[in-house]
Amino acid sequence: MSAWECGIVDCGIVFDTVEALLAHQVTDHASHECEICGDHVPEGYFAIKHGLHEHTRAEYVRFYDADAAAVRRREHVLDAVTTAVDPAALDDQLDDADRAPPTDDGGTNLLSP
């Protein structure tokens, strides 16, 4: 079992499961306003997923003042989390916290690939 650390600035809390980490990011951190489109999404993994899946790489680089290495780091985070997460277990944790699974403003579940 590997530990999962919250990468949101000034947090760093470590969790035993990726589902606990994602539930923490949804419930314990403020939402993130996308600098490209203005949508509000949960901070952390879900904000990264939104930025890289809903917008072009060029938009992401331009609006977030990112370079290729920063984009690759975020793609690595997406791959690691997507590979490890059990969406049903995350849904259960969010239900326990009285939170719905995160969606984009169009209602699409952000847990789906």
Side-chain angles (χ1 to χ4, degrees):
M1 172 186 340
S2 62
W4 293 86
E5 182 177 347
C6 182
I8 296 173
V9 176
D10 296 328
C11 185
I13 296 174
V14 177
F15 298 89
D16 289 335
T17 67
V18 68
E19 295 83 13
L21 166 66
L22 296 179
H24 158 77
Q25 289 181 342
V26 169
T27 60
D28 297 334
H29 288 282
S31 66
H32 170 79
E33 182 178 353
C34 177
E35 293 184 19
I36 301 167
C37 68
D39 282 358
H40 287 266
V41 294
E43 187 63 85
Y45 166 79
F46 296 105
I48 293 170
K49 183 174 180 181
H50 170 84
L52 294 178
H53 287 192
E54 299 300 319
H55 305 291
T56 67
R57 189 180 187 117
E59 287 173 323
Y60 189 86
V61 167
R62 182 171 51 254
F63 281 86
Y64 285 95
D65 195 26
D67 59 15
V71 172
R72 282 192 299 276
R73 276 193 307 276
R74 284 157 181 81
E75 289 171 337
H76 175 74
V77 167
L78 290 178
D79 289 344
V81 171
T82 302
T83 300
V85 71
D86 176 350
L90 178 57
D91 282 347
D92 288 344
Q93 287 197 21
L94 292 171
D95 285 344
D96 290 345
D98 292 326
R99 292 293 303 256
T103 62
D104 63 18
D105 283 352
T108 304
N109 185 328
L110 288 174
L111 287 175
S112 59

